[in-house]
Amino acid sequence: MKLTSAGRILAPDPMKSHTEYLTFHTKKRRDLVHLTPTLEPILARSGIAEGFMLVSAMHITAGVFVNDNESGLHADIWEWLERLAPSGPDYKHHRTGEDNGDAHLKSILVHHEVIVPITKGRMDLGPWQQVFYAEFDGQRDKRMVIKIIGE
Amino acid sequence: MKLTSAGRILAPDPMKSHTEYLTFHTKKRRDLVHLTPTLEPILARSGIAEGFMLVSAMHITAGVFVNDNESGLHADIWEWLERLAPSGPDYKHHRTGEDNGDAHLKSILVHHEVIVPITKGRMDLGPWQQVFYAEFDGQRDKRMVIKIIGE
Amino acid sequence: MKLTSAGRILAPDPMKSHTEYLTFHTKKRRDLVHLTPTLEPILARSGIAEGFMLVSAMHITAGVFVNDNESGLHADIWEWLERLAPSGPDYKHHRTGEDNGDAHLKSILVHHEVIVPITKGRMDLGPWQQVFYAEFDGQRDKRMVIKIIGE
């Protein structure tokens, strides 16, 4: 509760929201982009100290996840995704002229969004947690929405 | 900050929330329901312009995901789910009398909820993004909660 | 809109947030911890009646999911996770000296967080929904953040 110098009650801070969009155009068809360094200035611009940051791909052939920024692990992740949701010619989705059936399945597997808690004006992540954009069908413009709500 | 005509500070709009429940009863045991057309009027009723919409199954044998509304892809998704989390008699869960062990695993794989960002009163989805309810053990009433918070 | 007995406009309740941290140290390397009984008093302490509770692991070798509290199913889940993301010596991540490559993949598969809707001061879960912490590389301190925002 804030008071003026005359003791009158000031209105509390209302909920705030802040929205930005990012565009990625990866050179490789499949690629990981480390997002954390891009998210921190967005949070700073929001002025929000306590709340949630949604980091969400706006395409159905991309994912967002939180894990370690370690190149060996990233190679393991790609091998694993290819084993569980392999690329190949045999998808019924390809009757539409597309050739990216595996990218849709990889997006469902990894998920297309995460929520990052915001505490005391910072992304409240553990010491090894980093946010990644996973491109499963790139070489073209792909959009992402970052939306923060809080106070 | 809103002022009255006399220049007095009005209280800011507080955070709002809006909650609705849906019930599905699919004719088939496994089925997809395209939710986006059902979610839009719920958002309109909420009066919320900026915030998050949680779309969450209230059962442990169902999922919610965002992807393409394309029938060939949907067939691919069902084949893929059956390959990664097959139905069958060999689940220890079946000792309880249930026969839906695969439905629990499919729910964990797909996840039971998504967050849709709400911007300027609209679901802030990419051009191909649609929200789906995935029923893994239907032919009975299953509930879902839609909760929107924001301003 | 609230009015005083003299008809003056009171400020609306602002958005509230509440954050707590939990630490787990499982005796087994891989284990499930039923979180719901731990989350309920955190919600009570928050004083929040309508909003979202984020339950999020702060490590990249752990998960959080919602499913049934049934021991046979839990055995099925572990067998299934081991089949889809097996432990083994062949991960490139192990060149760093780690031996937990599978734990990272299991974390991506299960996901590291869920959102629980809060309605009328209660976790708005279905009758069989329980929240679990999934430890994939324990026997050491691992942290989790619980953050509730709402009104």
Side-chain angles (χ1 to χ4, degrees):
Chain A
M1 185 74 72
K2 294 174 196 162
L3 300 179
T4 64
S5 57
R8 291 169 58 112
I9 296 167
L10 282 178
D13 292 335
M15 203 201 83
K16 283 194 272 194
S17 68
H18 181 82
T19 309
E20 295 197 21
Y21 301 89
L22 302 174
T23 301
F24 296 102
H25 189 122
T26 59
K27 288 182 184 170
K28 292 191 287 179
R29 184 162 187 185
R30 297 184 182 87
D31 210 354
L32 292 184
V33 181
H34 181 197
L35 285 181
T36 321
T38 303
L39 299 176
E40 285 166 344
I42 295 175
L43 174 58
R45 282 192 288 275
S46 78
I48 290 172
E50 299 289 329
F52 292 162
M53 172 192 274
L54 175 71
V55 183
S56 187
M58 300 184 80
H59 290 260
I60 51 193
T61 51
V64 178
F65 68 92
V66 168
N67 216 282
D68 197 0
N69 191 16
E70 196 279 299
S71 61
L73 177 66
H74 293 182
D76 294 329
I77 290 170
W78 284 112
E79 280 186 30
W80 177 71
L81 289 173
E82 191 60 27
R83 182 166 69 79
L84 291 194
S87 54
D90 295 333
Y91 290 105
K92 292 183 181 64
H93 182 51
H94 295 177
R95 295 176 190 166
T96 63
E98 296 281 355
D99 65 349
N100 61 4
D102 69 298
H104 292 271
L105 302 181
K106 287 177 171 100
S107 172
I108 293 173
L109 180 62
V110 162
H111 286 267
H112 72 290
E113 62 186 2
V114 297
I115 293 276
V116 179
I118 304 302
T119 305
K120 297 178 183 172
R122 301 196 59 176
M123 295 170 69
D124 199 352
L125 296 168
W128 304 102
Q129 287 186 306
Q130 303 290 348
V131 187
F132 291 92
Y133 173 72
E135 177 60 79
F136 303 126
D137 187 25
Q139 299 174 313
R140 54 195 172 104
D141 281 1
K142 304 283 282 278
R143 292 177 80 218
M144 165 168 292
V145 55
I146 317 297
K147 189 167 197 105
I148 311 168
I149 68 172
E151 56 177 347
Chain B
M1 184 74 73
K2 294 174 196 162
L3 299 181
T4 64
S5 56
R8 290 169 60 113
I9 296 169
L10 283 177
D13 292 335
M15 202 200 84
K16 284 194 273 194
S17 68
H18 181 82
T19 308
E20 296 196 21
Y21 302 88
L22 302 174
T23 300
F24 296 102
H25 188 122
T26 58
K27 288 182 185 169
K28 291 191 287 180
R29 184 163 188 184
R30 297 184 182 87
D31 210 354
L32 292 184
V33 181
H34 182 197
L35 286 180
T36 321
T38 303
L39 300 175
E40 285 166 345
I42 296 175
L43 174 58
R45 283 193 287 274
S46 79
I48 290 173
E50 299 288 329
F52 292 162
M53 172 191 276
L54 175 70
V55 183
S56 187
M58 300 184 80
H59 290 260
I60 52 194
T61 51
V64 177
F65 68 92
V66 168
N67 216 283
D68 197 358
N69 191 15
E70 196 279 300
S71 61
L73 177 67
H74 293 182
D76 294 329
I77 289 171
W78 284 113
E79 280 186 29
W80 177 71
L81 289 173
E82 191 59 28
R83 182 166 68 81
L84 292 193
S87 54
D90 296 334
Y91 290 104
K92 293 184 180 66
H93 183 50
H94 295 177
R95 295 176 190 166
T96 64
E98 296 280 357
D99 65 350
N100 60 4
D102 68 298
H104 291 272
L105 302 182
K106 287 178 172 98
S107 172
I108 293 174
L109 180 61
V110 161
H111 286 267
H112 72 290
E113 63 186 3
V114 298
I115 294 276
V116 178
I118 304 301
T119 305
K120 297 179 182 170
R122 301 197 58 178
M123 297 170 68
D124 201 352
L125 296 168
W128 303 102
Q129 287 185 307
Q130 303 290 347
V131 186
F132 291 92
Y133 172 72
E135 177 60 77
F136 303 127
D137 187 23
Q139 299 174 313
R140 53 192 173 108
D141 281 0
K142 305 283 283 277
R143 289 177 81 217
M144 164 168 294
V145 54
I146 316 297
K147 192 169 193 103
I148 311 169
I149 68 172
E151 57 178 347
Chain C
M1 186 74 74
K2 295 174 194 162
L3 301 180
T4 65
S5 57
R8 291 171 59 114
I9 296 168
L10 283 178
D13 292 335
M15 203 200 84
K16 284 194 272 195
S17 68
H18 182 82
T19 309
E20 296 197 21
Y21 301 89
L22 302 173
T23 300
F24 297 101
H25 188 123
T26 59
K27 288 182 183 168
K28 292 190 287 180
R29 186 163 186 184
R30 296 183 183 89
D31 210 354
L32 291 185
V33 181
H34 181 197
L35 285 180
T36 321
T38 304
L39 299 176
E40 285 167 345
I42 296 175
L43 174 58
R45 282 193 288 275
S46 78
I48 290 173
E50 299 288 330
F52 292 162
M53 172 191 276
L54 176 71
V55 183
S56 187
M58 300 184 80
H59 290 261
I60 51 192
T61 52
V64 177
F65 68 92
V66 168
N67 217 284
D68 197 359
N69 191 15
E70 196 278 302
S71 62
L73 177 68
H74 294 182
D76 293 329
I77 290 170
W78 284 113
E79 280 186 30
W80 176 70
L81 289 173
E82 191 60 27
R83 182 166 68 81
L84 291 194
S87 55
D90 297 333
Y91 289 105
K92 292 183 180 68
H93 182 52
H94 295 176
R95 295 176 190 165
T96 63
E98 298 280 358
D99 65 350
N100 60 4
D102 69 299
H104 291 272
L105 302 182
K106 289 178 170 98
S107 172
I108 293 174
L109 180 61
V110 161
H111 287 267
H112 72 290
E113 63 186 2
V114 298
I115 294 275
V116 179
I118 305 301
T119 304
K120 298 179 182 170
R122 302 196 58 176
M123 297 170 68
D124 200 353
L125 296 168
W128 303 102
Q129 287 186 307
Q130 303 291 348
V131 186
F132 291 93
Y133 173 72
E135 177 59 80
F136 303 126
D137 186 25
Q139 299 174 315
R140 56 193 173 105
D141 282 359
K142 305 283 283 278
R143 291 178 81 219
M144 164 168 293
V145 55
I146 316 296
K147 190 168 195 103
I148 311 169
I149 68 172
E151 57 177 347

